[in-house]
Amino acid sequence: MLKSLFTEPKTPYPDDRGRYGDFGGRFVPETLMFAIEELEQAFKDALNDPKFAEDFAHYAKHYIGRPTPLYYAERLSNYLNGCRIYFKREDLAHTGAHKINNALGQCLLAKRMGKSRIIAETGAGQHGVATATASALLGLECCIYMGTEDMERQRLNVFRMRLLGAKVIGVDSGSKTLKDAINEALRDWSLNVRNTHYVLGTVHGPHPFPWICREFQSIIGVEAKKQILEMEGRLPNLLVACVGGGSNAIGLFYEFLNDSQVEMVGVEAGGIKIEPGQHASRFAGGVFGMLHGAQSYVLQDEYGQIGNTHSVSAGLDYASVGPEHTWLNSIKRVKYTYATDEEALNAFQLCSKLEGIIPALESAHAIAYVIKEAPKRKRDEIILVNLSGRGDKDVEHASKFIKLEE
Ligand SMILES: *Cc1c(COP(=O)(O)O)cnc(C)c1O
């Protein structure tokens, strides 16, 4: 079994072929094999070096601001007249979301490997900003690939990344969005592997990426378990997290996987409705397939082409989902459902009004599920929801859909 960074390993996966049950793997062109194998070995070495964990812990505490608080959302709990609801406050991490845990961890790993240059892909810009931030902190050159369509929609994040010293390279091929940016980043990596590390932003892609990202994000669940035991003296009944690629969800869930009394729910983007092109709910509308080097569930059309997706929240708008989630779904350890755009926008407003916390639209999908579920639960039950990010980035977009009283 592979070692774990912050905890004891909870499952035998990934196995030495990079698989999670029947899912995952490493389907890359020959030109990338060297880079991928070098990265896997470097991460294994880092896990055996206490200095690496110490370095990460140092920056986690003094730079990211960890541990992030666990917060009892009393007014929301009372309003729903159900059980006790806790928020794991990843929105309070530096740069406003959980993504910095993985970006900083991978940049530290790159530095350890002697790489001076970082590349990454970004869709909405959040992962690009986190990677540009970590690169600035560690003095690494940083290049972010972004579809030109996304650059247009996310101008402020493009400015942010450039302000942080990163070069943003527009990708004009295909649909000019995230999946094209990933292809371009992989191409760059195969050409420049000697001095370059590719920071992949979620628990997807070829092995070892889903594993590396899970390891850095699993700090969320390790902290949350300790915190809830201190505050309530018992484990939560239910964990809830939104699922784009799946990194904030597995980050919370992993530590609890062997606590069989703890239920877990992953919430995907239900978009407008579950019809092709109108959502990004891979478990509701996808099939077994392959994208970006891993086998998982994929939204695709009748010809096997990658399907179009839609969500009000850019961070959940991706045609595939991390292979470990597909495995957890297949063994029924985690239940996957979805919230629609409308439900998420309602949760966005309710959470803002009752708690004074504007959640990211991604996180609002998790809260939307909690709004439906909490009233059905006994008063002493505990729901712990991952508040993956803050919603400041989303207020302008949300204002197009929400009509507020004057
Ligand atoms: C990117 C993002 C997500 C979705 O990514 P995961 O890998 O599924 O966690 C969720 N919430 C926020 C705030 C994000 O920025």
Side-chain angles (χ1 to χ4, degrees):
M1 201 153 17
L2 292 164
K3 271 188 106 141
S4 224
L5 188 54
F6 309 113
T7 182
E8 289 303 309
K10 306 295 176 193
T11 73
Y13 297 127
D15 63 19
D16 41 6
R17 291 158 61 227
R19 299 206 144 249
Y20 303 81
D22 294 332
F23 309 100
R26 168 187 285 171
F27 299 86
V28 296
E30 203 71 37
T31 48
L32 274 178
M33 268 327 259
F34 172 76
I36 291 265
E37 281 173 357
E38 180 190 44
L39 176 61
E40 181 181 5
Q41 194 50 51
F43 190 57
K44 283 182 178 162
D45 293 345
L47 291 179
N48 280 314
D49 179 0
K51 177 79 171 51
F52 184 73
E54 270 169 42
D55 280 353
F56 184 84
H58 168 82
Y59 287 111
K61 177 170 179 198
H62 298 287
Y63 188 74
I64 300 181
R66 307 205 70 87
T68 58
L70 184 71
Y71 163 74
Y72 173 46
E74 186 171 4
R75 293 194 69 217
L76 181 66
S77 301
N78 289 343
Y79 175 86
L80 295 172
N81 200 20
C83 61
R84 300 170 69 76
I85 300 164
Y86 280 84
F87 290 163
K88 180 60 175 161
R89 298 290 307 274
E90 290 302 295
D91 60 317
L92 294 177
H94 180 48
T95 68
H98 67 290
K99 285 200 173 76
I100 190 73
N101 303 326
N102 172 58
L104 180 56
Q106 286 202 39
C107 286
L108 281 172
L109 184 62
K111 209 156 175 174
R112 203 186 133 85
M113 293 169 76
K115 313 267 170 179
S116 57
R117 180 171 176 265
I118 295 294
I119 57 172
E121 83 297 341
T122 198
Q126 296 304 111
H127 174 56
V129 169
T131 304
T133 300
S135 299
L137 171 71
L138 300 176
L140 297 163
E141 184 189 336
C142 180
C143 236
I144 305 290
Y145 285 93
M146 191 170 189
T148 47
E149 178 80 29
D150 287 334
M151 281 176 78
E152 189 59 37
R153 285 190 291 212
Q154 305 286 344
R155 275 190 222 159
L156 267 182
N157 275 338
V158 173
F159 182 77
R160 254 184 211 115
M161 288 183 265
R162 289 181 172 151
L163 192 60
L164 291 159
K167 198 165 150 192
V168 181
I169 303 176
V171 177
D172 219 4
S173 56
S175 58
K176 306 176 194 209
T177 59
L178 179 63
K179 67 176 163 55
D180 314 289
I182 297 178
N183 292 337
E184 231 20 74
L186 286 169
R187 198 161 306 150
D188 178 319
W189 198 30
S190 66
L191 291 175
N192 300 299
V193 55
R194 200 164 308 190
N195 72 342
T196 299
H197 172 64
Y198 175 27
V199 178
L200 207 148
T202 187
V203 286
H204 208 295
H207 177 65
F209 281 112
W211 171 48
I212 293 176
C213 182
R214 177 193 80 194
E215 287 302 309
F216 289 123
Q217 294 296 359
S218 65
I219 195 166
I220 300 172
V222 169
E223 286 175 7
K225 185 186 256 186
K226 194 161 164 263
Q227 289 167 319
I228 198 73
L229 288 174
E230 274 166 22
M231 293 169 82
E232 290 275 2
R234 61 200 160 106
L235 293 175
N237 299 81
L238 172 66
L239 303 176
V240 182
C242 64
V243 182
S247 69
N248 85 89
I250 201 72
L252 176 65
F253 296 166
Y254 190 68
E255 178 65 10
F256 297 87
L257 282 179
N258 293 333
D259 300 308
S260 56
Q261 72 274 36
V262 179
E263 296 168 65
M264 303 180 190
V265 171
V267 187
E268 299 184 287
I272 298 159
K273 58 177 178 227
I274 306 298
E275 291 278 341
Q278 306 208 42
H279 69 102
S281 183
R282 291 67 45 104
F283 291 112
V287 292
F288 179 74
M290 175 141 66
L291 183 61
H292 296 131
Q295 288 181 320
S296 184
Y297 267 47
V298 182
L299 291 168
Q300 53 188 51
D301 68 17
E302 60 196 290
Y303 305 106
Q305 297 292 329
I306 300 308
N308 289 324
T309 51
H310 162 83
S311 170
V312 70
S313 109
L316 302 183
D317 199 349
Y318 180 55
S320 186
V321 60
E324 191 164 15
H325 286 287
T326 313
W327 172 64
L328 290 167
N329 176 65
S330 73
I331 63 164
K332 299 192 161 62
R333 177 64 188 95
V334 179
K335 188 180 121 184
Y336 294 86
T337 181
Y338 57 85
T340 63
D341 286 354
E342 193 185 336
E343 290 169 328
L345 285 164
N346 286 336
F348 180 77
Q349 292 176 78
L350 193 68
C351 182
S352 301
K353 213 151 111 179
L354 289 179
E355 295 293 347
I357 297 170
I358 303 174
L361 280 174
E362 292 85 4
S363 322
H365 285 70
I367 300 169
Y369 175 79
V370 171
I371 290 172
K372 289 183 274 188
E373 185 62 21
K376 300 181 197 161
R377 300 261 166 172
K378 294 201 205 80
R379 292 207 76 92
D380 64 345
E381 287 192 53
I382 299 167
I383 296 181
L384 198 163
V385 44
N386 203 6
L387 209 79
S388 56
R390 66 172 184 233
D392 306 51
K393 68 181 177 64
D394 294 320
V395 286
E396 194 192 342
H397 186 54
S399 71
K400 295 175 199 149
F401 306 100
I402 296 173
K403 196 98 203 93
L404 297 175
E405 272 174 47
E406 306 236 323

